[in-house]
């Protein structure tokens, strides 16, 4: 199945790109990058909360800020449309801090997302 080219950046009609070995490698590299980013950010958040326990009182604000920032990054790095995202974060702070939330970055990357 063909997919829109990522380098169109919303200008004119998107050019369709047929999946190839090269685009598959690109997708795997991006997937690994996202996996490692999730791992890095979860560790940083846990470390920060351990060092500054009083920040727990600001969890709702932090969750919304992170959710909004995550949408912006996702819009920039994918072909997803803004309308596919909920207006507010559908998860609790406890859920997003769980080590295996959405993916399990506690071990090695297994090549899947």
């Amino acid at each position: 199945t063909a997919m829109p080219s990522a380098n169109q950046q919303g200008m004119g009609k998107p050019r369709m790109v047929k999946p190839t070995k090269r685009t598959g490698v690109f997708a795997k590299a991006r997937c690994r990058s996202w996996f490692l980013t999730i791992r890095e950010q979860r560790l940083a958040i846990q470390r920060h909360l351990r060092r500054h326990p009083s920040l727990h009182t600001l969890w709702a604000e932090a969750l919304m800020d992170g959710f909004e920032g995550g949408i912006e990054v996702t819009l920039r790095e994918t072909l997803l449309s803004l309308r596919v995202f909920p207006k507010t974060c559908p998860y609790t702070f406890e859920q997003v801090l769980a080590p295996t939330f959405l993916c399990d970055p506690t071990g090695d990357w297994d090549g899947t997302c």
Side-chain angles (χ1 to χ4, degrees), residues 41-52 97-99:
Q41 294 300 311
R42 283 186 184 165
L43 290 171
I45 290 168
Q46 291 167 1
R47 193 170 39 251
H48 202 64
L49 288 173
R50 271 195 316 272
R51 291 178 183 161
H52 308 282
L97 287 183

Side-chain angles (χ1 to χ4, degrees), residues 27-90:
K28 281 215 179 273
R30 175 171 279 171
C31 185
R32 178 175 165 77
S33 173
W34 287 353
F35 171 86
L36 293 173
T37 297
I38 290 168
R39 180 181 170 84
E40 173 188 355
Q41 294 300 311
R42 283 186 184 165
L43 290 171
I45 290 168
Q46 291 167 1
R47 193 170 39 251
H48 202 64
L49 288 173
R50 271 195 316 272
R51 291 178 183 161
H52 308 282
S54 63
L55 293 176
H56 281 281
T57 60
L58 304 172
W59 71 265
E61 183 181 345
L63 183 62
M64 194 60 195
D65 288 349
F67 182 70
E68 291 170 348
I71 289 173
E72 295 305 313
V73 170
T74 304
L75 290 172
R76 184 174 52 249
E77 294 190 11
T78 69
L79 297 173
L80 293 174
S81 164
L82 180 59
R83 69 178 170 268
V84 303
F85 296 97
K87 300 254 185 259
T88 59
C89 183

